[in-house]
Short mmCIF file of all heavy atoms in Angstrom, two decimals:
data_model
loop_
_atom_site.label_atom_id
_atom_site.label_comp_id
_atom_site.label_asym_id
_atom_site.label_seq_id
_atom_site.Cartn_x
_atom_site.Cartn_y
_atom_site.Cartn_z
N LYS C 1455 130.77 96.81 114.78
CA LYS C 1455 130.88 98.11 114.13
C LYS C 1455 129.81 98.33 113.07
O LYS C 1455 129.83 99.35 112.37
CB LYS C 1455 132.27 98.27 113.51
CG LYS C 1455 133.40 98.31 114.52
CD LYS C 1455 134.73 98.56 113.82
CE LYS C 1455 135.88 98.62 114.84
NZ LYS C 1455 137.17 98.87 114.16
N TRP C 1456 128.88 97.39 112.93
CA TRP C 1456 127.84 97.56 111.92
C TRP C 1456 127.02 98.82 112.20
O TRP C 1456 126.56 99.04 113.33
CB TRP C 1456 126.91 96.35 111.92
CG TRP C 1456 127.52 95.12 111.30
CD1 TRP C 1456 128.69 95.04 110.59
CD2 TRP C 1456 126.99 93.79 111.35
NE1 TRP C 1456 128.92 93.75 110.17
CE2 TRP C 1456 127.90 92.95 110.64
CE3 TRP C 1456 125.87 93.22 111.92
CZ2 TRP C 1456 127.69 91.59 110.49
CZ3 TRP C 1456 125.65 91.85 111.78
CH2 TRP C 1456 126.56 91.05 111.07
N GLY C 1457 126.83 99.61 111.17
CA GLY C 1457 125.93 100.75 111.25
C GLY C 1457 124.67 100.42 110.47
O GLY C 1457 124.74 99.96 109.33
N PHE C 1458 123.49 100.64 111.07
CA PHE C 1458 122.24 100.13 110.51
C PHE C 1458 121.43 101.21 109.79
O PHE C 1458 121.47 102.39 110.13
CB PHE C 1458 121.39 99.50 111.61
CG PHE C 1458 121.89 98.17 112.06
CD1 PHE C 1458 122.94 98.06 112.97
CD2 PHE C 1458 121.34 97.01 111.56
CE1 PHE C 1458 123.41 96.82 113.38
CE2 PHE C 1458 121.79 95.76 111.96
CZ PHE C 1458 122.83 95.67 112.87
N ILE C 1459 120.70 100.74 108.80
CA ILE C 1459 119.70 101.57 108.12
C ILE C 1459 118.36 101.22 108.77
O ILE C 1459 117.92 100.07 108.73
CB ILE C 1459 119.66 101.23 106.61
CG1 ILE C 1459 121.05 101.43 106.00
CG2 ILE C 1459 118.62 102.08 105.90
CD1 ILE C 1459 121.22 100.75 104.65
N ALA C 1460 117.74 102.21 109.39
CA ALA C 1460 116.56 101.93 110.21
C ALA C 1460 115.44 102.92 109.89
O ALA C 1460 115.52 103.70 108.93
CB ALA C 1460 116.93 101.98 111.69
N TYR C 1461 114.38 102.86 110.71
CA TYR C 1461 113.22 103.73 110.56
C TYR C 1461 113.31 104.91 111.52
O TYR C 1461 113.89 104.79 112.61
CB TYR C 1461 111.93 102.97 110.87
CG TYR C 1461 111.61 101.85 109.91
CD1 TYR C 1461 111.97 100.54 110.19
CD2 TYR C 1461 110.94 102.11 108.72
CE1 TYR C 1461 111.67 99.50 109.32
CE2 TYR C 1461 110.62 101.08 107.84
CZ TYR C 1461 111.00 99.79 108.14
OH TYR C 1461 110.70 98.78 107.27
N PRO C 1462 112.71 106.06 111.18
CA PRO C 1462 112.62 107.17 112.14
C PRO C 1462 111.85 106.73 113.38
O PRO C 1462 110.87 105.97 113.27
CB PRO C 1462 111.87 108.25 111.37
CG PRO C 1462 112.06 107.91 109.93
CD PRO C 1462 112.14 106.41 109.87
N GLU C 1463 112.25 107.20 114.53
CA GLU C 1463 111.60 106.80 115.78
C GLU C 1463 110.14 107.20 115.82
O GLU C 1463 109.31 106.51 116.42
CB GLU C 1463 112.34 107.39 116.98
CG GLU C 1463 113.70 106.76 117.23
CD GLU C 1463 114.33 107.24 118.52
OE1 GLU C 1463 113.63 107.89 119.32
OE2 GLU C 1463 115.52 106.98 118.74
N ARG C 1464 109.79 108.32 115.20
CA ARG C 1464 108.41 108.80 115.24
C ARG C 1464 107.47 107.98 114.36
O ARG C 1464 106.25 108.12 114.45
CB ARG C 1464 108.34 110.27 114.84
CG ARG C 1464 108.71 110.52 113.38
CD ARG C 1464 108.60 112.00 113.05
NE ARG C 1464 108.87 112.26 111.65
CZ ARG C 1464 108.80 113.47 111.09
NH1 ARG C 1464 108.45 114.50 111.81
NH2 ARG C 1464 109.06 113.62 109.80
N GLN C 1465 108.03 107.12 113.50
CA GLN C 1465 107.19 106.30 112.62
C GLN C 1465 106.42 105.27 113.43
O GLN C 1465 106.92 104.73 114.42
CB GLN C 1465 108.06 105.61 111.57
CG GLN C 1465 107.27 105.02 110.42
CD GLN C 1465 108.18 104.62 109.27
OE1 GLN C 1465 109.37 104.91 109.27
NE2 GLN C 1465 107.62 103.95 108.27
N THR C 1466 105.21 104.99 113.01
CA THR C 1466 104.35 104.04 113.71
C THR C 1466 105.04 102.70 113.92
O THR C 1466 105.76 102.22 113.05
CB THR C 1466 103.05 103.81 112.90
OG1 THR C 1466 102.44 105.07 112.65
CG2 THR C 1466 102.07 102.93 113.67
N ASP C 1467 104.79 102.09 115.08
CA ASP C 1467 105.42 100.81 115.43
C ASP C 1467 104.80 99.67 114.61
O ASP C 1467 103.60 99.64 114.38
CB ASP C 1467 105.23 100.55 116.92
CG ASP C 1467 106.19 99.50 117.43
OD1 ASP C 1467 107.29 99.38 116.87
OD2 ASP C 1467 105.85 98.81 118.40
N PHE C 1468 105.64 98.74 114.15
CA PHE C 1468 105.18 97.55 113.44
C PHE C 1468 106.25 96.47 113.54
O PHE C 1468 107.36 96.72 114.04
CB PHE C 1468 104.82 97.87 111.98
CG PHE C 1468 105.90 98.62 111.24
CD1 PHE C 1468 106.84 97.96 110.47
CD2 PHE C 1468 105.95 100.01 111.31
CE1 PHE C 1468 107.82 98.65 109.79
CE2 PHE C 1468 106.93 100.72 110.64
CZ PHE C 1468 107.88 100.04 109.88
N ASP C 1469 105.93 95.26 113.07
CA ASP C 1469 106.79 94.10 113.31
C ASP C 1469 108.23 94.29 112.83
O ASP C 1469 109.17 94.01 113.56
CB ASP C 1469 106.20 92.85 112.62
CG ASP C 1469 104.94 92.36 113.30
OD1 ASP C 1469 104.78 92.63 114.50
OD2 ASP C 1469 104.12 91.70 112.63
N HIS C 1470 108.39 94.75 111.59
CA HIS C 1470 109.74 94.88 111.05
C HIS C 1470 110.55 95.93 111.81
O HIS C 1470 111.74 95.73 112.08
CB HIS C 1470 109.68 95.25 109.57
CG HIS C 1470 111.03 95.31 108.91
ND1 HIS C 1470 111.62 96.50 108.56
CD2 HIS C 1470 111.91 94.33 108.56
CE1 HIS C 1470 112.81 96.25 108.01
NE2 HIS C 1470 113.01 94.95 108.00
N LYS C 1471 109.93 97.03 112.18
CA LYS C 1471 110.63 98.08 112.93
C LYS C 1471 111.05 97.58 114.30
O LYS C 1471 112.19 97.80 114.73
CB LYS C 1471 109.74 99.31 113.05
CG LYS C 1471 110.42 100.47 113.79
CD LYS C 1471 109.50 101.66 113.95
CE LYS C 1471 110.19 102.76 114.74
NZ LYS C 1471 109.32 103.92 114.97
N ARG C 1472 110.15 96.86 115.00
CA ARG C 1472 110.48 96.34 116.33
C ARG C 1472 111.65 95.36 116.25
O ARG C 1472 112.60 95.45 117.03
CB ARG C 1472 109.27 95.65 116.96
CG ARG C 1472 108.21 96.60 117.48
CD ARG C 1472 107.22 95.87 118.37
NE ARG C 1472 106.53 94.81 117.67
CZ ARG C 1472 105.40 95.00 116.98
NH1 ARG C 1472 104.86 96.21 116.91
NH2 ARG C 1472 104.82 94.00 116.36
N TRP C 1473 111.58 94.44 115.30
CA TRP C 1473 112.66 93.45 115.15
C TRP C 1473 113.98 94.13 114.82
O TRP C 1473 115.03 93.79 115.36
CB TRP C 1473 112.30 92.45 114.06
CG TRP C 1473 113.47 91.63 113.61
CD1 TRP C 1473 114.06 90.59 114.27
CD2 TRP C 1473 114.22 91.80 112.40
NE1 TRP C 1473 115.13 90.10 113.55
CE2 TRP C 1473 115.25 90.82 112.41
CE3 TRP C 1473 114.12 92.68 111.31
CZ2 TRP C 1473 116.16 90.71 111.36
CZ3 TRP C 1473 115.03 92.56 110.28
CH2 TRP C 1473 116.03 91.58 110.31
N LEU C 1474 113.92 95.12 113.93
CA LEU C 1474 115.15 95.79 113.49
C LEU C 1474 115.84 96.48 114.66
O LEU C 1474 117.06 96.36 114.84
CB LEU C 1474 114.82 96.78 112.39
CG LEU C 1474 116.02 97.45 111.69
CD1 LEU C 1474 116.94 96.40 111.10
CD2 LEU C 1474 115.53 98.40 110.61
N TYR C 1475 115.07 97.19 115.49
CA TYR C 1475 115.70 97.90 116.60
C TYR C 1475 116.18 96.94 117.70
O TYR C 1475 117.16 97.22 118.39
CB TYR C 1475 114.75 98.96 117.16
CG TYR C 1475 114.87 100.27 116.39
CD1 TYR C 1475 113.92 100.61 115.43
CD2 TYR C 1475 115.93 101.12 116.61
CE1 TYR C 1475 114.04 101.79 114.70
CE2 TYR C 1475 116.06 102.31 115.90
CZ TYR C 1475 115.11 102.64 114.95
OH TYR C 1475 115.23 103.80 114.23
N GLU C 1476 115.50 95.80 117.85
CA GLU C 1476 116.02 94.77 118.76
C GLU C 1476 117.35 94.22 118.25
O GLU C 1476 118.26 93.93 119.02
CB GLU C 1476 115.00 93.64 118.90
CG GLU C 1476 113.77 94.01 119.71
CD GLU C 1476 112.70 92.93 119.66
OE1 GLU C 1476 112.95 91.87 119.02
OE2 GLU C 1476 111.62 93.14 120.23
N THR C 1477 117.47 94.10 116.93
CA THR C 1477 118.70 93.60 116.32
C THR C 1477 119.83 94.63 116.43
O THR C 1477 120.98 94.28 116.67
CB THR C 1477 118.45 93.26 114.84
OG1 THR C 1477 117.39 92.29 114.75
CG2 THR C 1477 119.69 92.69 114.18
N VAL C 1478 119.48 95.89 116.25
CA VAL C 1478 120.49 96.95 116.36
C VAL C 1478 121.11 96.97 117.76
O VAL C 1478 122.33 97.07 117.91
CB VAL C 1478 119.86 98.32 116.02
CG1 VAL C 1478 120.86 99.44 116.33
CG2 VAL C 1478 119.43 98.38 114.57
N GLY C 1479 120.26 96.85 118.78
CA GLY C 1479 120.75 96.87 120.15
C GLY C 1479 121.48 98.16 120.47
O GLY C 1479 120.97 99.26 120.27
N LYS C 1480 122.71 98.05 120.94
CA LYS C 1480 123.51 99.22 121.33
C LYS C 1480 124.35 99.77 120.17
O LYS C 1480 125.08 100.74 120.34
CB LYS C 1480 124.41 98.87 122.51
CG LYS C 1480 123.63 98.54 123.78
CD LYS C 1480 124.57 98.25 124.93
CE LYS C 1480 123.79 97.94 126.21
NZ LYS C 1480 124.69 97.65 127.36
N ARG C 1481 124.27 99.11 119.02
CA ARG C 1481 125.00 99.60 117.87
C ARG C 1481 124.31 100.84 117.29
O ARG C 1481 123.18 101.16 117.64
CB ARG C 1481 125.15 98.49 116.83
CG ARG C 1481 126.06 97.36 117.30
CD ARG C 1481 126.06 96.16 116.38
NE ARG C 1481 124.81 95.42 116.40
CZ ARG C 1481 124.65 94.21 115.87
NH1 ARG C 1481 125.67 93.62 115.25
NH2 ARG C 1481 123.49 93.60 115.93
N HIS C 1482 124.99 101.54 116.42
CA HIS C 1482 124.46 102.83 115.97
C HIS C 1482 123.66 102.70 114.68
O HIS C 1482 123.82 101.73 113.92
CB HIS C 1482 125.59 103.85 115.80
CG HIS C 1482 126.44 103.63 114.59
ND1 HIS C 1482 127.38 102.62 114.49
CD2 HIS C 1482 126.50 104.31 113.39
CE1 HIS C 1482 127.98 102.68 113.33
NE2 HIS C 1482 127.47 103.68 112.64
N VAL C 1483 122.79 103.67 114.46
CA VAL C 1483 122.00 103.78 113.23
C VAL C 1483 122.67 104.83 112.36
O VAL C 1483 122.82 105.98 112.77
CB VAL C 1483 120.55 104.16 113.54
CG1 VAL C 1483 119.79 104.47 112.26
CG2 VAL C 1483 119.85 103.06 114.32
N VAL C 1484 123.05 104.42 111.15
CA VAL C 1484 123.78 105.34 110.28
C VAL C 1484 122.85 106.25 109.50
O VAL C 1484 123.19 107.39 109.18
CB VAL C 1484 124.71 104.56 109.32
CG1 VAL C 1484 123.92 103.71 108.35
CG2 VAL C 1484 125.66 105.49 108.59
N CYS C 1485 121.63 105.77 109.21
CA CYS C 1485 120.64 106.61 108.54
C CYS C 1485 119.25 106.02 108.75
O CYS C 1485 119.10 104.85 109.12
CB CYS C 1485 120.94 106.76 107.05
SG CYS C 1485 120.79 105.24 106.08
N GLU C 1486 118.23 106.84 108.53
CA GLU C 1486 116.83 106.43 108.73
C GLU C 1486 116.05 106.66 107.43
O GLU C 1486 116.20 107.70 106.79
CB GLU C 1486 116.19 107.22 109.86
CG GLU C 1486 116.83 107.00 111.21
CD GLU C 1486 116.24 107.87 112.30
OE1 GLU C 1486 115.69 108.95 111.97
OE2 GLU C 1486 116.33 107.47 113.48
N MET C 1487 115.21 105.69 107.08
CA MET C 1487 114.36 105.81 105.89
C MET C 1487 113.01 105.17 106.22
O MET C 1487 112.94 104.11 106.85
CB MET C 1487 115.01 105.13 104.68
CG MET C 1487 116.44 105.56 104.44
SD MET C 1487 117.09 105.10 102.82
CE MET C 1487 116.46 106.45 101.83
N THR C 1488 111.93 105.81 105.78
CA THR C 1488 110.59 105.37 106.16
C THR C 1488 110.08 104.19 105.35
O THR C 1488 109.11 103.55 105.73
CB THR C 1488 109.58 106.51 106.01
OG1 THR C 1488 109.58 106.96 104.64
CG2 THR C 1488 109.92 107.68 106.92
N ASP C 1489 110.72 103.88 104.21
CA ASP C 1489 110.21 102.86 103.31
C ASP C 1489 111.23 101.73 103.16
O ASP C 1489 112.43 101.98 102.98
CB ASP C 1489 109.90 103.47 101.94
CG ASP C 1489 109.27 102.47 100.98
OD1 ASP C 1489 108.06 102.26 101.07
OD2 ASP C 1489 110.01 101.88 100.18
N LEU C 1490 110.77 100.49 103.22
CA LEU C 1490 111.67 99.33 103.15
C LEU C 1490 112.38 99.25 101.80
O LEU C 1490 113.55 98.86 101.73
CB LEU C 1490 110.87 98.05 103.41
CG LEU C 1490 111.65 96.73 103.47
CD1 LEU C 1490 112.79 96.80 104.47
CD2 LEU C 1490 110.70 95.59 103.83
N SER C 1491 111.72 99.61 100.72
CA SER C 1491 112.37 99.60 99.41
C SER C 1491 113.51 100.61 99.35
O SER C 1491 114.54 100.37 98.72
CB SER C 1491 111.34 99.91 98.31
OG SER C 1491 110.40 98.87 98.20
N HIS C 1492 113.35 101.74 100.02
CA HIS C 1492 114.41 102.74 100.08
C HIS C 1492 115.58 102.23 100.93
O HIS C 1492 116.75 102.48 100.60
CB HIS C 1492 113.87 104.05 100.64
CG HIS C 1492 112.81 104.67 99.80
ND1 HIS C 1492 111.94 105.63 100.28
CD2 HIS C 1492 112.45 104.46 98.51
CE1 HIS C 1492 111.11 105.99 99.32
NE2 HIS C 1492 111.40 105.28 98.24
N GLN C 1493 115.27 101.51 102.00
CA GLN C 1493 116.33 100.92 102.82
C GLN C 1493 117.14 99.91 101.99
O GLN C 1493 118.36 99.82 102.12
CB GLN C 1493 115.73 100.24 104.05
CG GLN C 1493 115.10 101.21 105.03
CD GLN C 1493 114.46 100.51 106.21
OE1 GLN C 1493 114.62 99.31 106.41
NE2 GLN C 1493 113.72 101.26 107.03
#
C-alpha cells in the first residue's frame, strides 16, 4: 500500500528516477516533485 513521492514523467531520465520507478513497480505514486530536496 506504499504510495510514492516520485518525479514527473516528462522530466529528463537519470539514475535516481529510473531506480525509483523500478522500485515503485505497480504501486501508485501519491505525488510528483522535480527536486530531491523537495521530495
